[in-house]
Amino acid sequence: QVQLVESGGGLVQAGGSLRLSCAASGRIFNTYAMGWFRQAPGKEREFVGGITWNSGRTCFSDSVKGRFTISRDNAKNTVYLQMNSLKPEDTAVYYCAANGYYCGGPYDYWGQGTQVSVSS
């Protein structure tokens, strides 16, 4: 079983930046691809980005490409989502996910989510 805990969400003005973290339990974290998803009110959960187990590849949705980056530190069992040039439409609950296809999923394990709010 893998447990995922997101942190780093909050309120930021448009154009600002936030870095989300996802800490994972389990010794085999470094064998898992990791992903980030988000869900805005009234909308379905959507893929944001993903990274392979060895950081060799990343993948992003068109809506965040060029603004968001993903990295991971396998020694710390943590994956990060760096969000720059934030827009009000980025407002959502952000979830990290583990053990799936890095570019879109599906994934086996999910965190509880962290709220990101971007004001205009």
Side-chain angles (χ1 to χ4, degrees), residues 24-83:
S25 65
R27 294 181 300 170
I28 57 176
F29 168 82
N30 60 1
T31 68
Y32 289 161
M34 299 293 294
W36 287 95
F37 290 73
R38 67 186 182 187
Q39 187 167 19
K43 295 187 177 181
E44 293 187 353
R45 187 177 297 186
E46 65 172 353
F47 173 73
V48 173
I51 187 167
T52 54
W53 70 274
N54 63 353
S55 304
R57 293 184 179 181
T58 58
C59 175
F60 297 93
S61 66
D62 288 342
S63 60
V64 306
K65 196 172 296 182
R67 300 188 297 122
F68 291 11
T69 58
I70 292 176
S71 60
R72 65 189 294 164
D73 185 339
N74 286 345
K76 296 182 178 180
N77 279 12
T78 302
V79 63
Y80 306 97
L81 180 67
Q82 177 66 45
M83 305 185 294

